[in-house]
Amino acid sequence: MTKDRFYIEDAGKHDGQIVTVRGWVYNKRSSGKIKFLILRDGTGLLQGVLFKGECTEEAFGEFEKLTQESSIEVIGKLRKEPRSPGGFELGVQSIKIVQVADPYPISLKEHGVEFLMEKRHLWLRSQRQWAALRVRSEIMRSIQEFFDDRGFVRFDAPILTPSSCEGTSTLFSTPYFDEKAFLTQSGQLYGEVGAMAFGKVYVFGPTFRAEKSKTRKHLTEFWMVEPEVAFADLEDNMLMGEQFIEHIVQSVLSRKAPELKILERDLTELENIKGPFPRISYDEALKILEKRGIALPWGEDFGAPHETALGEEFGKPVFVHHMPSDIKAFYFKQSDTVGGPAVSGTGKYALGCDLIAPKGYGEIIGGGQREESAEVLQRRIAEHGLSEADYSWYLDLRRFGSVPHSGFGLGVERTVAWMTGVEHVRETIPFPRMLNTLRP
Amino acid sequence: MTKDRFYIEDAGKHDGQIVTVRGWVYNKRSSGKIKFLILRDGTGLLQGVLFKGECTEEAFGEFEKLTQESSIEVIGKLRKEPRSPGGFELGVQSIKIVQVADPYPISLKEHGVEFLMEKRHLWLRSQRQWAALRVRSEIMRSIQEFFDDRGFVRFDAPILTPSSCEGTSTLFSTPYFDEKAFLTQSGQLYGEVGAMAFGKVYVFGPTFRAEKSKTRKHLTEFWMVEPEVAFADLEDNMLMGEQFIEHIVQSVLSRKAPELKILERDLTELENIKGPFPRISYDEALKILEKRGIALPWGEDFGAPHETALGEEFGKPVFVHHMPSDIKAFYFKQSDTVGGPAVSGTGKYALGCDLIAPKGYGEIIGGGQREESAEVLQRRIAEHGLSEADYSWYLDLRRFGSVPHSGFGLGVERTVAWMTGVEHVRETIPFPRMLNTLRP
């Protein structure tokens, strides 16, 4: 199996051995009688060197035929070479060409983003894209590890839903036999079902928003992880979010340092992402914003400049809690005062908590404590103009053993952007879906 | 955080300690002066016992008020009790009622499936459903573990796609701004992109088929994992599939034995799922079917009775390879003879491999070696009436460093059905989507 095969990322375990590298030509150059071949096998880059006497005569001939991205199998001897990227080089003995590639459209020089997005299926082979998606893969892994290690049950919510979580204006929809189905924009309400059945669950899957926005933080299709815990309040929820973010950061730092180096990510900045994260109320946030010269009237939601300013104020992720009820969804538990007792559905404040990432990467976590009274929830559903019949199953959770419960959603792509320092979320997922982008 | 809180599944670590159980009333009964309370906290069941002298006077009063599924917090002393399910019981000291539940619609007796499906959000709390989805969660975990441990990169393929993998007749679709998008039925073609960029990847997400079939093996929305490996042939692929299935079975056996017991699953049968799995060609399969009295003409695909018969023949999973090209998708590499050299696009046989599970659970794995010649693939695309323009990016993989590569897809729900022994796939996912089933 592939497990027993040599891969470049395992070079350290094979020093001095003869190995076969199966991969592609990333680059090549000649320096007098010595030929250099940069090999790529999907797990890393390795410099191959062709010396007369060490490799076959044929290998020199084959070398001449190789174009960028040609596929090859190269046999050679691995040896330490501190000057090489990765610390090893391959003393090439023989080259077997699998295919000489057509002239490759992406050179190692600069191209426009529009062109590269059209060639996304090839662009992914380039170093920065490759590195960013390796970090993504690690983030996906560490997300699962965090919850699996803590006894959470993975609870896959449906993608096709009969109604929406927060209104239908930005939903994709499909004919579903004789009905209409909407693509989910959050698995949270289903996650609450799971919390009552399994105690603590996480929903983890793609979600969809048919928004026409063209910002660097929006995709129409993006992955979310949404934990939900029974018998947990707002404080528990912030603590879980904090530990969760710390876990992801530590995993990426300890397992993907070479990729972060390729991306020229400032590691000190990541190393400083340690709890406790500041926790401020919305009211306190308004004071900070006023002080920083971008005052916001009470009751309005943060925009990108406000998030950026809050990030600058603290230099690390910050939780903002107790937002105005009117700008939050119907399912939030409410409170009359910040720090006062939670009351059911009469309060000015929603028991929400959003985690704002530094440097303008925006809201990474959005969550809070859910309303647990069936009566209040019925009223809220009516106030939001939603159909009670559509939510009767959701109300059942409050009729049959209602408990305080909380959860949050973390957007994967924004988290990848933040961890990698990549400017635009389109580079944080293999095939981004945006307004005007449905291909390849 | 929830990590530090007591959960019933950790009872073994707290013998003799005073603990707080936060959960729900699964059942209760009285036996003279002793009261029994079966508690459910989502991680397991625990019997609470109320003795006079050991618990407060109030607790007896509260006990009387408790209805099925009422939410409570119970303080008591954990002690070994071999006769109890789970091996422990709780000497109840006090009971705090969170909510007295309304009369619960699902009793511990039998109900019709149609009724239970309507109450799916509550049915999940019942023992068998709970156990099956705990096994599902473990299968999801072990799938990722297998690939993560072997250096595969998780590669999330898009759900919204501009064209289909194998034709559009059974696809859901949504307006996508000024275009139309289809919900993916397989991430494989994108996975092939990933294999060329990362060497070995796995796509893992929901997939969709708008089939009107009403069998026990079909859902319209189901999860698939699809590994794809560069420089891998049909043999490599079967070996990977075999090791993968063994890993899942071992993980479920070692971590979810109590759940399998609740499901009355025959453990010996699972313990016997060990490689090597038989590998037979389609031609050999036809001979076996003829011998067993259900002959199939050459060129036709297996139906459920044929899969069941092949399962009975071997009593363990069996790979069927080298199917007729005409019943397989356009992207399969082909061969003139079984066991002969693979040829490009002129062959009678497709280099596919399907893994048939025993006992009629059907095709669990479907996969094979992909065509690597751009010319042959162009011809196959035309033969299948597909648009070459739609697949130009896919053809690019054969123009720029084409290599032999293989992969497969494993359906999660069928695998869960097989592992748990659950008859119908609708009980293997929290909220199954089927013809006529879109709620809750």
Side-chain angles (χ1 to χ4, degrees):
Chain A
M1 229 278 283
T2 50
K3 197 181 181 177
D4 314 314
R5 178 190 295 179
F6 173 77
Y7 280 102
I8 291 172
E9 69 178 333
D10 302 323
K13 296 178 202 151
H14 298 269
D15 185 24
Q17 294 176 18
I18 309 284
V19 297
T20 303
V21 179
R22 295 173 182 84
W24 297 266
V25 175
Y26 196 70
N27 204 357
K28 70 173 194 180
R29 65 191 165 87
S30 298
S31 174
K33 287 184 182 167
I34 308 176
K35 313 283 179 192
F36 295 96
L37 195 56
I38 311 291
L39 296 164
R40 170 181 91 71
D41 77 347
T43 73
L45 296 183
L46 179 64
Q47 176 166 280
V49 189
L50 284 74
F51 284 116
K52 233 178 176 115
E54 192 178 33
C55 77
T56 61
E57 270 306 311
E58 292 76 23
F60 281 96
E62 299 297 79
F63 179 88
E64 296 308 320
K65 297 180 203 161
L66 295 176
T67 56
Q68 191 187 348
E69 285 300 319
S70 290
S71 42
I72 49 178
E73 295 186 14
V74 181
I75 296 175
K77 189 170 182 176
L78 264 187
R79 55 191 171 223
K80 282 213 180 85
E81 173 48 74
R83 290 167 299 176
S84 273
F88 284 86
E89 70 171 23
L90 188 76
V92 174
Q93 298 178 348
S94 70
I95 295 177
K96 183 185 151 201
I97 295 180
V98 180
Q99 189 207 33
V100 174
D102 286 359
Y104 193 64
I106 303 175
S107 70
L108 297 178
K109 292 164 194 120
E110 288 284 310
H111 293 275
V113 164
E114 200 178 337
F115 172 80
L116 292 168
M117 284 296 294
E118 280 168 22
K119 303 282 179 209
R120 184 67 178 162
H121 55 291
L122 302 175
W123 189 23
L124 292 170
R125 303 179 184 185
S126 300
Q127 277 283 284
R128 282 184 61 87
Q129 302 305 310
W130 175 87
L133 290 192
R134 298 251 302 178
V135 173
R136 177 193 172 93
S137 178
E138 173 56 25
I139 289 172
M140 297 291 283
R141 195 200 63 77
S142 66
I143 285 171
Q144 291 152 184
E145 180 180 65
F146 181 85
F147 294 113
D148 291 341
D149 284 356
R150 284 158 182 79
F152 282 65
V153 165
R154 174 155 176 167
F155 191 77
D156 296 302
I159 306 299
L160 297 169
T161 60
S163 60
S164 70
C165 181
E166 301 173 41
T168 61
S169 61
T170 55
L171 294 183
F172 292 109
S173 65
T174 174
Y176 190 83
F177 306 109
D178 300 330
E179 292 195 78
K180 189 176 182 177
F182 298 94
L183 300 197
T184 186
Q185 62 183 337
S186 163
Q188 177 205 315
L189 304 197
Y190 291 101
E192 292 181 51
V193 170
M196 303 307 149
F198 299 94
K200 41 188 176 176
V201 299
Y202 68 109
V203 176
F204 194 16
T207 53
F208 304 85
R209 289 192 196 185
E211 278 177 307
K212 290 204 171 171
S213 49
K214 269 182 137 175
T215 84
R216 69 183 183 87
K217 286 185 282 191
H218 287 90
L219 298 171
T220 58
E221 177 182 328
F222 55 102
W223 281 70
M224 275 227 286
V225 60
E226 300 177 278
E228 191 76 30
V229 181
F231 293 98
D233 63 16
L234 185 63
E235 284 299 323
D236 295 324
N237 203 38
M238 289 194 275
L239 189 57
M240 175 168 69
E242 184 174 281
Q243 294 178 351
F244 180 50
I245 294 291
E246 285 185 323
H247 176 79
I248 293 174
V249 171
Q250 287 310 313
S251 300
V252 169
L253 277 171
S254 68
R255 292 168 171 250
K256 289 291 173 277
E259 285 80 359
L260 295 174
K261 200 178 163 198
I262 290 168
L263 294 160
E264 297 163 281
R265 182 67 169 101
D266 179 353
L267 295 191
T268 325
E269 211 179 280
L270 287 181
E271 283 157 2
N272 285 336
I273 300 175
K274 284 198 183 123
F277 299 153
R279 289 153 166 75
I280 59 170
S281 68
Y282 172 87
D283 291 350
E284 289 166 320
L286 288 200
K287 283 182 201 143
I288 291 167
L289 292 174
E290 190 175 5
K291 194 185 70 187
R292 299 185 69 97
I294 46 164
L296 188 73
W298 198 95
E300 286 190 21
D301 211 349
F302 300 141
H306 311 105
E307 291 177 349
T308 304
L310 290 172
E312 276 170 20
E313 175 80 14
F314 295 98
K316 60 155 98 181
V318 51
F319 274 115
V320 180
H321 55 80
H322 283 83
M323 298 82 158
S325 286
D326 290 348
I327 56 170
K328 302 303 278 185
F330 72 92
Y331 47 70
F332 280 93
K333 193 172 169 74
Q334 299 178 316
S335 170
D336 282 327
T337 55
V338 176
V343 292
S344 279
T346 57
K348 176 180 167 186
Y349 297 98
L351 296 188
C353 58
D354 292 346
L355 186 70
I356 314 288
K359 303 235 163 162
Y361 283 102
E363 182 193 314
I364 298 293
I365 278 180
Q369 188 171 344
R370 323 306 185 184
E371 178 55 62
E372 73 226 48
S373 152
E375 291 69 35
V376 174
L377 208 49
Q378 268 173 313
R379 207 186 65 222
R380 299 278 296 159
I381 285 168
E383 282 169 6
H384 278 71
L386 301 168
S387 146
E388 190 179 316
D390 284 349
Y391 293 92
S392 67
W393 61 273
Y394 186 63
L395 287 162
D396 274 357
L397 303 180
R398 280 73 181 171
R399 295 182 181 119
F400 306 110
S402 191
V403 303
H405 62 290
S406 300
F408 63 76
L410 171 124
V412 169
E413 287 71 23
R414 284 190 188 182
T415 306
V416 177
W418 176 31
M419 297 292 147
T420 57
V422 160
E423 180 71 10
H424 197 298
V425 288
R426 69 184 160 219
E427 297 180 26
T428 63
I429 188 168
F431 295 93
R433 294 298 178 244
M434 298 175 286
L435 183 62
N436 304 326
T437 304
L438 183 59
R439 295 184 166 72
Chain B
M1 230 276 283
T2 50
K3 197 181 183 179
D4 313 314
R5 178 191 295 179
F6 173 77
Y7 280 102
I8 291 172
E9 68 179 333
D10 302 324
K13 298 179 202 152
H14 298 269
D15 185 25
Q17 294 175 15
I18 308 285
V19 298
T20 303
V21 180
R22 294 173 182 83
W24 297 265
V25 175
Y26 196 69
N27 204 357
K28 69 173 193 180
R29 64 190 166 87
S30 298
S31 175
K33 287 183 182 168
I34 307 174
K35 313 284 179 189
F36 295 96
L37 196 56
I38 311 291
L39 296 165
R40 169 181 92 68
D41 77 347
T43 73
L45 296 183
L46 178 64
Q47 176 166 280
V49 188
L50 285 74
F51 283 116
K52 228 174 180 117
E54 193 178 33
C55 78
T56 60
E57 270 306 311
E58 292 76 24
F60 280 95
E62 299 297 80
F63 178 88
E64 296 308 320
K65 297 180 202 160
L66 295 176
T67 56
Q68 192 188 346
E69 286 300 319
S70 290
S71 43
I72 49 177
E73 295 187 15
V74 181
I75 296 175
K77 190 171 181 174
L78 265 186
R79 56 192 170 221
K80 283 212 179 84
E81 171 49 72
R83 289 166 300 175
S84 272
F88 285 86
E89 71 170 22
L90 188 75
V92 175
Q93 297 178 347
S94 70
I95 295 177
K96 183 184 150 198
I97 295 179
V98 180
Q99 189 207 35
V100 174
D102 286 357
Y104 193 63
I106 303 175
S107 70
L108 297 179
K109 290 164 197 121
E110 288 285 310
H111 292 275
V113 165
E114 200 178 335
F115 173 79
L116 291 170
M117 285 295 294
E118 279 168 23
K119 302 283 180 207
R120 184 68 177 160
H121 55 291
L122 302 176
W123 190 24
L124 292 170
R125 304 179 184 186
S126 299
Q127 277 284 283
R128 281 184 62 88
Q129 301 305 310
W130 175 86
L133 290 192
R134 297 251 302 177
V135 173
R136 175 193 172 93
S137 178
E138 173 56 26
I139 289 173
M140 297 292 282
R141 195 199 63 75
S142 65
I143 285 171
Q144 290 151 187
E145 181 180 66
F146 181 85
F147 294 113
D148 291 341
D149 284 356
R150 285 158 182 77
F152 282 65
V153 166
R154 175 158 176 163
F155 190 78
D156 297 302
I159 306 299
L160 296 170
T161 60
S163 60
S164 70
C165 183
E166 301 171 43
T168 61
S169 61
T170 56
L171 294 183
F172 292 109
S173 66
T174 173
Y176 190 83
F177 306 110
D178 299 331
E179 292 194 77
K180 188 176 182 178
F182 298 95
L183 300 197
T184 186
Q185 61 184 339
S186 163
Q188 177 206 314
L189 304 197
Y190 292 100
E192 291 180 51
V193 170
M196 303 308 148
F198 299 94
K200 42 188 176 176
V201 298
Y202 68 108
V203 176
F204 193 16
T207 53
F208 304 85
R209 289 194 195 183
E211 278 177 306
K212 289 203 170 172
S213 50
K214 269 182 137 176
T215 84
R216 68 183 183 89
K217 285 185 282 189
H218 287 91
L219 298 170
T220 58
E221 177 182 328
F222 55 102
W223 281 69
M224 275 227 285
V225 59
E226 299 178 279
E228 191 75 29
V229 181
F231 294 98
D233 63 15
L234 186 63
E235 285 299 323
D236 296 325
N237 204 39
M238 288 194 275
L239 189 57
M240 174 167 70
E242 183 174 282
Q243 293 178 350
F244 180 50
I245 294 291
E246 284 185 322
H247 176 78
I248 294 174
V249 171
Q250 287 310 313
S251 299
V252 169
L253 278 171
S254 69
R255 291 167 171 252
K256 288 291 174 279
E259 285 79 0
L260 295 174
K261 200 177 163 199
I262 290 168
L263 294 160
E264 298 163 281
R265 182 66 168 103
D266 179 353
L267 295 191
T268 326
E269 210 179 280
L270 287 181
E271 282 156 3
N272 285 336
I273 301 174
K274 284 198 184 122
F277 300 153
R279 289 151 166 74
I280 59 170
S281 68
Y282 172 88
D283 291 350
E284 288 167 318
L286 289 200
K287 282 182 202 143
I288 291 167
L289 292 176
E290 191 175 5
K291 194 185 70 187
R292 299 185 70 97
I294 46 166
L296 188 74
W298 198 95
E300 286 191 22
D301 209 350
F302 300 141
H306 311 105
E307 292 178 347
T308 303
L310 290 172
E312 276 170 20
E313 175 78 14
F314 295 99
K316 59 156 96 180
V318 51
F319 274 114
V320 180
H321 55 79
H322 284 84
M323 299 81 159
S325 286
D326 290 347
I327 56 169
K328 302 302 280 185
F330 72 93
Y331 48 69
F332 279 92
K333 193 171 169 76
Q334 298 178 315
S335 171
D336 282 328
T337 55
V338 176
V343 294
S344 278
T346 56
K348 176 180 167 187
Y349 298 98
L351 296 188
C353 59
D354 292 347
L355 185 70
I356 313 288
K359 302 234 163 167
Y361 283 103
E363 182 194 314
I364 298 291
I365 278 180
Q369 189 170 343
R370 323 306 185 183
E371 178 54 63
E372 73 224 48
S373 153
E375 291 69 34
V376 174
L377 208 48
Q378 268 172 315
R379 207 186 65 223
R380 299 278 295 160
I381 286 169
E383 283 168 6
H384 278 72
L386 301 167
S387 145
E388 191 179 317
D390 285 349
Y391 293 92
S392 68
W393 62 274
Y394 186 63
L395 287 162
D396 274 356
L397 303 180
R398 280 72 181 170
R399 296 181 180 119
F400 306 110
S402 192
V403 303
H405 61 290
S406 300
F408 63 77
L410 170 125
V412 169
E413 286 72 22
R414 285 190 188 181
T415 306
V416 177
W418 176 32
M419 297 292 148
T420 57
V422 160
E423 181 70 13
H424 196 299
V425 288
R426 69 185 160 217
E427 297 182 25
T428 63
I429 188 168
F431 295 92
R433 293 296 179 245
M434 298 175 285
L435 183 64
N436 304 327
T437 305
L438 182 59
R439 300 186 163 71

